[in-house]
Amino acid sequence: MAGILAWFWNERFWLPHNVTWADLKNTDEATFPQAEDLYLACPLAFCIFMIRLIFERFIARPCAMGLKIQANGPQKAQPNAILEKVFTAITKHPDEKRLEGLSKQLDWDVRTIQRWFRQRRNQEKPSTLARFCESMWRFTFYLYIFTYGVRFLKKTPWLWNTKECWYNYPYQPLTVDIHYYYILELSFYLSLLFSQFTDIRRKDFLIMFLHHVATISLIIFSYVNNMARVGTLVMCLHDAADVLIEAAKMANYAKCQILCNLLFAMFAILFISSRLGVYPIWILNTTLFESWEIVGPYPSWWVFNLLLILLQLLHSFWSYLIVKTACRAISKGKVGKWNPLHVSKDDRSDIESSSDEDDIPPPNQKHHNSATNGTNKNHGGTNGYLTGTPYPDEH
């Protein structure tokens, strides 16, 4: 184990040439980042998760109730042991052949069985109230941490001159503000990483998981080798747009459509300008070129910049989704009536309220045969799901 640790913490990987870990030990005159400082983030991540549960129960939920957001979810499917067994053990999307077999076994028409599976799938989706509470928690945290970052950074020289991130590197003392900022951000993203498996599941689950892993890796990397100054700039820049998208989601759940549209437009402008403009010009420029000129490259420098470039690729992907969502929304009907957070079942991603699956049945399943048409008419009033009617949270 000692050999593995010695290999992992190799000074020639983590630090510039002629710098050792002994040079960065804390002294009476200066305090430097230490890897063991980050151990605090693990229990703090659990505390943040517990605070979130309390916040959603006693603050977000009453706010949602005050806005007349209902707690009830989609209509529940009629209890049926045979269909439930197929749903849980075999498939949630039965094909035409299986539908015909179930129809004969239960003496139900095919469209009724289709509707049962659709209602059963919708039954597992969270209510609008749960969505609102999750967004309000994220909005509150992002607003707090962004405000803290701006208030802290406006007093620092490297906000105004990014070359200050590299002067006297790596012998830059760690301040209490930077330590608090880093530990809180790392704890929050750790809590998001683990709660992602219990939160509302989105279509871009893997992309968001990769984003969280890259973000956590960047925070750890920049802290351990004392790139904390540029790290604070990266964190603050990313928190800005997150405030607006969560606010837009909250407005959408509260059915404040005009406010939702306005917030989404502000989010789209800020996201694209900051992630595709400010980030490469301001952040990547200093980490790739200014640091090369002042400090020079070394192994962990390459890894750090590769992670930043990976983040830029994710920015480009999400910017494409935002533009695609906005363009498709504007192309549908009157511009003043579009809902940017629920445009198309094909474009759902993290910029939307959830990753509701595409529940419109395949063309060959919409009409089984003419023999069932008479029976199907009796279900016209309750079979909106089969005709492509939006989900309850889409209105």
Side-chain angles (χ1 to χ4, degrees), residues 77 83 87 92-100 102-103 106 108-122 357 359-369 372 376 382-383 385-387:
L83 295 181
F87 182 87
K92 296 181 180 180
H93 298 269
D95 56 21
E96 185 174 1
K97 184 177 180 181
R98 191 176 298 278
L99 285 172
E100 291 175 352
L102 291 171
S103 176
L106 296 172
W108 287 13
D109 63 88
V110 171
R111 293 191 69 180
T112 300
I113 297 175
Q114 286 178 324
R115 183 171 65 252
W116 188 95
F117 275 92
R118 185 156 296 104
Q119 291 177 344
R120 184 63 182 82
R121 289 193 295 268
N122 289 336
E357 62 202 40
D359 278 344
I360 298 177
N364 64 347
Q365 292 183 15
K366 283 189 178 181
H367 302 287
H368 173 51
N369 53 50
T372 60
N376 290 339
T382 60
N383 203 18
Y385 294 112
L386 292 177
T387 61

Side-chain angles (χ1 to χ4, degrees), residues 244-245 247-252 255-269 326 329-330 334-343:
L244 291 175
I245 188 57
K249 290 180 184 180
M250 292 163 59
N252 178 60
K255 299 182 180 179
C256 300
Q257 195 55 52
I258 296 177
L259 179 60
C260 173
N261 295 347
L262 177 62
L263 288 170
F264 181 82
M266 293 170 59
F267 159 76
I269 293 171
I330 294 173
K334 296 181 180 179
V335 176
K337 294 184 179 180
W338 63 276
N339 184 342
L341 297 181
H342 295 91
V343 177

Side-chain angles (χ1 to χ4, degrees), residues 146 158-159 162 230 232-241 269-287 290 308 312 315 319:
F146 175 68
W158 60 87
L159 176 65
T162 51
V230 72
T232 57
L233 300 180
V234 175
M235 292 188 296
C236 189
L237 180 66
H238 281 74
D239 289 334
I269 293 171
L270 180 59
F271 186 96
I272 294 173
S273 61
S274 63
R275 308 293 176 93
L276 299 186
V278 177
Y279 181 82
I281 295 173
W282 192 42
I283 300 297
L284 293 183
N285 176 65
T286 191
T287 60
E290 292 179 349
L308 289 175
Q312 180 62 66
H315 294 164
S319 297

